[in-house]
Amino acid sequence: MTSLDRPHLYIGGQWVTPASAETIAVENPATEEVIAHVPAGTAADVDRAVAAARAAFDSWSVSPSRAEVLDRLHTALASRAADIARVVGLELGAPLKIAKAVQAGLPLAVLRSYADLAARPAPDRTVGNSLIEHEPVGVVGAITPWNYPLHQVVAKVAAALAAGCTVVLKPSELTPLVAFLLVDAAEEAGVPAGVLNVVTGTGPVVGAAIAGHPGVDMVSFTGSTATGRAISHAAADRIAKVALELGGKSANIILDDADLGRAVKVGVGNAFLNSGQTCTAWTRMLVHQSLYDEAVSLAAKTAGGYTVGDPFDEATRLGPLVSRGQRDRVRGFISRASARLVAGGIDAPVPPAGHFVAPTVFADVDPDSELAQEEIFGPVLSIIPFSSDDEAVAIANNSKYGLAGGVWGSDERALAVARRLRTGQVDVNGGSFNPVAPFGGYKQSGVGRELGEYGLSEFQQVKAIQR
């Protein structure tokens, strides 16, 4: 056992012994060493957690102190920011700069926003002779991914708690440790017993038990489209509400009047953020043919500046992929690609230990190819030429996904193109991420929205009272 081991589950405000003695090993993907063990939860553990959440719901749903509790939770979690960055660096391999700014910083900003929303709830509306009220949906099952392990937890948990729901959380078995830091903060903040419950385990066991549980009123899931489809089927059997944030294959459109240098630099950075393990990554760079050759050269040069290595080395800009399986999957996409390789590739040098893939750029990519259509989830960028705004929009929308995107060019023209993209978020000329704007996708990128007031409303029911 190591100091990072977490042998218990958190249910009903207590650290409890799991139903099974089986554990899950947590690996450091930069070294391939096991750094901790967590419980392999069971359906029986989920039953206990749902019962605790159900018992806590009646009082929490009408509690006047939800904003105060979330405010204290923010304070307690902020005091752990350095630990959060370190733990995410160890279990995910995120470079220290990203771990501090994004993996620790972003969830704190989101939590702050929900504490503020809870303090200023939207007033009831009157429509004709009806009073329109918003009520919490009930017990929420939150199933979260490994790539932004605390942010994705907070985006669900903070919103649900602000709305008056209680939660059963299953963090990813690949990166579960940071969720325990949230529980530590919740204990310190005095989150009432049963309001937040955590059961670690695998998707086929714990995730499936949550998705199909008759005591869970809503399932909020972030992850692959295939798993989201299975969760939808399980929840549909009892007509439970589902919110899904799934995959992406986002396009970054560079028009012929764009600031090319900035567009390429930011575009490559977006594609390689978190080692490319980002659902909103701009993995398709669409460039007007008049700028195409220069853009390809700039992208290759920019990719060469992404130093691969130890996440705790300040010089590292690209850490490992989360697991051997993920690394091999990404390498498979690279090896099968028929496009022109201009940077990286499977033969590019990387550290001998760890699940590393070199930053890779392909040019002359066929818009209908696997490389341009499938979510790779690694540091792989595809560059595609276009000849007109209409063609750029057609290529960008030629995807089963619709999560994010970017457009670069003169402001009004870029905005006009952005409005034509069938995607949930678009950044124009490098517009910064807004943690209170609605986040979610079109098509197979999901159902529902997270963050801000739109994220809060996902965890509410609407009631009309006639009088």
Side-chain angles (χ1 to χ4, degrees), residues 116-137:
D116 293 344
L117 282 171
R120 298 188 300 274
D124 293 336
R125 293 179 57 209
T126 298
V127 178
N129 68 317
S130 300
L131 180 66
I132 311 301
E133 295 188 340
H134 294 83
E135 299 181 346
V137 71

Side-chain angles (χ1 to χ4, degrees), residues 3-4 6 35 76-92 94 96 99-100 103-105 107-108 149-150 177-182 184-185 188 312:
S3 61
L4 290 176
R6 292 286 193 156
I35 57 172
L77 195 64
S79 72
R80 293 165 168 79
D83 290 337
I84 291 167
R86 183 179 72 90
V87 167
V88 175
L90 287 170
E91 65 180 345
L92 177 64
L96 197 57
K100 289 178 179 178
Q103 300 284 3
L108 287 170
L150 184 59
L177 300 178
V178 73
F180 286 99
L181 294 181
L182 176 65
D184 293 341
E188 181 181 318
F312 292 93

Side-chain angles (χ1 to χ4, degrees), residues 131-201:
L131 180 66
I132 311 301
E133 295 188 340
H134 294 83
E135 299 181 346
V137 71
V139 173
V140 172
I143 303 173
T144 58
W146 46 262
N147 58 329
Y148 291 90
L150 184 59
H151 166 62
Q152 295 288 359
V153 166
V154 169
K156 300 180 189 305
V157 169
L161 266 55
C165 301
T166 55
V167 177
V168 177
L169 167 67
K170 189 205 91 68
S172 169
E173 61 269 33
L174 294 176
T175 55
L177 300 178
V178 73
F180 286 99
L181 294 181
L182 176 65
V183 175
D184 293 341
E187 279 200 306
E188 181 181 318
V191 174
V195 169
L196 173 62
N197 308 273
V198 177
V199 180
T200 53

